[in-house]
PDB file of all heavy atoms in Angstrom:
ATOM      1  N   GLY A  86      96.569  86.479 147.402  1.00  0.00           N
ATOM      2  CA  GLY A  86      96.689  86.091 146.024  1.00  0.00           C
ATOM      3  C   GLY A  86      97.828  86.865 145.271  1.00  0.00           C
ATOM      4  O   GLY A  86      97.843  86.670 144.024  1.00  0.00           O
ATOM      5  N   PHE A  87      98.665  87.494 145.999  1.00  0.00           N
ATOM      6  CA  PHE A  87      99.798  88.185 145.419  1.00  0.00           C
ATOM      7  C   PHE A  87     100.835  88.157 146.386  1.00  0.00           C
ATOM      8  O   PHE A  87     100.626  88.464 147.571  1.00  0.00           O
ATOM      9  CB  PHE A  87      99.486  89.637 144.951  1.00  0.00           C
ATOM     10  CG  PHE A  87     100.626  90.404 144.477  1.00  0.00           C
ATOM     11  CD1 PHE A  87     100.931  90.479 143.044  1.00  0.00           C
ATOM     12  CD2 PHE A  87     101.634  90.988 145.327  1.00  0.00           C
ATOM     13  CE1 PHE A  87     102.033  91.159 142.610  1.00  0.00           C
ATOM     14  CE2 PHE A  87     102.694  91.757 144.721  1.00  0.00           C
ATOM     15  CZ  PHE A  87     102.879  91.651 143.359  1.00  0.00           C
ATOM     16  N   PRO A  88     102.212  87.925 146.055  1.00  0.00           N
ATOM     17  CA  PRO A  88     102.613  87.511 144.757  1.00  0.00           C
ATOM     18  C   PRO A  88     102.368  86.134 144.393  1.00  0.00           C
ATOM     19  O   PRO A  88     102.159  85.338 145.397  1.00  0.00           O
ATOM     20  CB  PRO A  88     104.201  87.772 144.764  1.00  0.00           C
ATOM     21  CG  PRO A  88     104.508  87.766 146.249  1.00  0.00           C
ATOM     22  CD  PRO A  88     103.202  88.198 146.977  1.00  0.00           C
ATOM     23  N   ARG A  89     102.339  85.730 143.173  1.00  0.00           N
ATOM     24  CA  ARG A  89     102.008  84.284 142.701  1.00  0.00           C
ATOM     25  C   ARG A  89     103.094  83.792 141.843  1.00  0.00           C
ATOM     26  O   ARG A  89     102.970  82.536 141.432  1.00  0.00           O
ATOM     27  CB  ARG A  89     100.695  84.380 141.862  1.00  0.00           C
ATOM     28  CG  ARG A  89      99.590  83.713 142.680  1.00  0.00           C
ATOM     29  CD  ARG A  89      98.444  84.058 141.644  1.00  0.00           C
ATOM     30  NE  ARG A  89      97.343  83.191 141.924  1.00  0.00           N
ATOM     31  CZ  ARG A  89      96.313  83.469 142.754  1.00  0.00           C
ATOM     32  NH1 ARG A  89      96.232  84.503 143.349  1.00  0.00           N
ATOM     33  NH2 ARG A  89      95.220  82.628 142.583  1.00  0.00           N
ATOM     34  N   THR A  90     104.073  84.562 141.485  1.00  0.00           N
ATOM     35  CA  THR A  90     105.092  83.998 140.651  1.00  0.00           C
ATOM     36  C   THR A  90     106.442  84.690 141.247  1.00  0.00           C
ATOM     37  O   THR A  90     106.422  85.584 141.927  1.00  0.00           O
ATOM     38  CB  THR A  90     105.098  84.520 139.179  1.00  0.00           C
ATOM     39  OG1 THR A  90     105.210  85.996 139.197  1.00  0.00           O
ATOM     40  CG2 THR A  90     103.849  84.064 138.530  1.00  0.00           C
ATOM     41  N   LEU A  91     107.678  84.032 140.959  1.00  0.00           N
ATOM     42  CA  LEU A  91     108.955  84.591 141.397  1.00  0.00           C
ATOM     43  C   LEU A  91     109.082  85.932 140.848  1.00  0.00           C
ATOM     44  O   LEU A  91     109.694  86.923 141.527  1.00  0.00           O
ATOM     45  CB  LEU A  91     110.053  83.726 140.987  1.00  0.00           C
ATOM     46  CG  LEU A  91     110.328  82.375 141.920  1.00  0.00           C
ATOM     47  CD1 LEU A  91     111.258  81.528 141.344  1.00  0.00           C
ATOM     48  CD2 LEU A  91     110.731  82.868 143.299  1.00  0.00           C
ATOM     49  N   PHE A  92     108.714  86.204 139.651  1.00  0.00           N
ATOM     50  CA  PHE A  92     108.849  87.646 139.123  1.00  0.00           C
ATOM     51  C   PHE A  92     108.044  88.581 139.956  1.00  0.00           C
ATOM     52  O   PHE A  92     108.605  89.627 140.364  1.00  0.00           O
ATOM     53  CB  PHE A  92     108.248  87.534 137.599  1.00  0.00           C
ATOM     54  CG  PHE A  92     108.340  88.930 137.003  1.00  0.00           C
ATOM     55  CD1 PHE A  92     109.448  89.296 136.243  1.00  0.00           C
ATOM     56  CD2 PHE A  92     107.421  89.893 137.159  1.00  0.00           C
ATOM     57  CE1 PHE A  92     109.551  90.585 135.636  1.00  0.00           C
ATOM     58  CE2 PHE A  92     107.410  91.107 136.577  1.00  0.00           C
ATOM     59  CZ  PHE A  92     108.599  91.477 135.834  1.00  0.00           C
ATOM     60  N   GLN A  93     106.840  88.260 140.303  1.00  0.00           N
ATOM     61  CA  GLN A  93     105.979  89.156 141.162  1.00  0.00           C
ATOM     62  C   GLN A  93     106.661  89.399 142.472  1.00  0.00           C
ATOM     63  O   GLN A  93     106.665  90.508 143.083  1.00  0.00           O
ATOM     64  CB  GLN A  93     104.578  88.638 141.312  1.00  0.00           C
ATOM     65  CG  GLN A  93     103.786  88.588 140.010  1.00  0.00           C
ATOM     66  CD  GLN A  93     102.462  88.040 140.225  1.00  0.00           C
ATOM     67  OE1 GLN A  93     101.917  87.794 141.338  1.00  0.00           O
ATOM     68  NE2 GLN A  93     101.792  87.666 139.153  1.00  0.00           N
ATOM     69  N   ALA A  94     107.230  88.284 143.182  1.00  0.00           N
ATOM     70  CA  ALA A  94     107.834  88.357 144.424  1.00  0.00           C
ATOM     71  C   ALA A  94     109.067  89.305 144.461  1.00  0.00           C
ATOM     72  O   ALA A  94     109.183  90.144 145.324  1.00  0.00           O
ATOM     73  CB  ALA A  94     108.178  87.039 144.923  1.00  0.00           C
ATOM     74  N   ARG A  95     109.953  89.131 143.437  1.00  0.00           N
ATOM     75  CA  ARG A  95     111.108  90.033 143.358  1.00  0.00           C
ATOM     76  C   ARG A  95     110.672  91.383 143.095  1.00  0.00           C
ATOM     77  O   ARG A  95     111.260  92.387 143.702  1.00  0.00           O
ATOM     78  CB  ARG A  95     111.927  89.444 142.132  1.00  0.00           C
ATOM     79  CG  ARG A  95     112.600  88.127 142.503  1.00  0.00           C
ATOM     80  CD  ARG A  95     113.672  87.667 141.514  1.00  0.00           C
ATOM     81  NE  ARG A  95     114.105  86.297 141.820  1.00  0.00           N
ATOM     82  CZ  ARG A  95     113.993  85.348 141.121  1.00  0.00           C
ATOM     83  NH1 ARG A  95     113.539  85.367 139.999  1.00  0.00           N
ATOM     84  NH2 ARG A  95     114.521  84.239 141.489  1.00  0.00           N
ATOM     85  N   HIS A  96     109.761  91.672 142.273  1.00  0.00           N
ATOM     86  CA  HIS A  96     109.215  92.971 141.916  1.00  0.00           C
ATOM     87  C   HIS A  96     108.745  93.627 143.162  1.00  0.00           C
ATOM     88  O   HIS A  96     108.993  94.806 143.420  1.00  0.00           O
ATOM     89  CB  HIS A  96     108.053  92.848 140.854  1.00  0.00           C
ATOM     90  CG  HIS A  96     107.913  93.994 140.073  1.00  0.00           C
ATOM     91  ND1 HIS A  96     107.150  95.079 140.354  1.00  0.00           N
ATOM     92  CD2 HIS A  96     108.371  94.369 138.755  1.00  0.00           C
ATOM     93  CE1 HIS A  96     107.120  95.915 139.498  1.00  0.00           C
ATOM     94  NE2 HIS A  96     107.877  95.606 138.508  1.00  0.00           N
ATOM     95  N   PHE A  97     107.996  92.756 143.980  1.00  0.00           N
ATOM     96  CA  PHE A  97     107.316  93.387 145.109  1.00  0.00           C
ATOM     97  C   PHE A  97     108.421  93.628 146.202  1.00  0.00           C
ATOM     98  O   PHE A  97     108.406  94.739 146.879  1.00  0.00           O
ATOM     99  CB  PHE A  97     106.434  92.345 145.654  1.00  0.00           C
ATOM    100  CG  PHE A  97     105.722  92.985 146.933  1.00  0.00           C
ATOM    101  CD1 PHE A  97     104.860  93.997 146.885  1.00  0.00           C
ATOM    102  CD2 PHE A  97     105.686  92.288 148.100  1.00  0.00           C
ATOM    103  CE1 PHE A  97     104.182  94.479 148.064  1.00  0.00           C
ATOM    104  CE2 PHE A  97     105.049  92.584 149.298  1.00  0.00           C
ATOM    105  CZ  PHE A  97     104.339  93.809 149.276  1.00  0.00           C
ATOM    106  N   ASP A  98     109.471  92.882 146.343  1.00  0.00           N
ATOM    107  CA  ASP A  98     110.562  93.203 147.268  1.00  0.00           C
ATOM    108  C   ASP A  98     111.248  94.370 146.831  1.00  0.00           C
ATOM    109  O   ASP A  98     111.488  95.323 147.687  1.00  0.00           O
ATOM    110  CB  ASP A  98     111.617  92.034 147.159  1.00  0.00           C
ATOM    111  CG  ASP A  98     111.338  90.847 148.040  1.00  0.00           C
ATOM    112  OD1 ASP A  98     110.329  91.055 148.935  1.00  0.00           O
ATOM    113  OD2 ASP A  98     111.885  89.734 148.011  1.00  0.00           O
TER     114      ASP A  98
END
Side-chain angles (χ1 to χ4, degrees):
F87 177 93
R89 246 178 162 96
T90 61
L91 278 171
F92 180 92
Q93 292 178 16
R95 293 193 180 112
H96 205 275
F97 183 58
D98 275 350

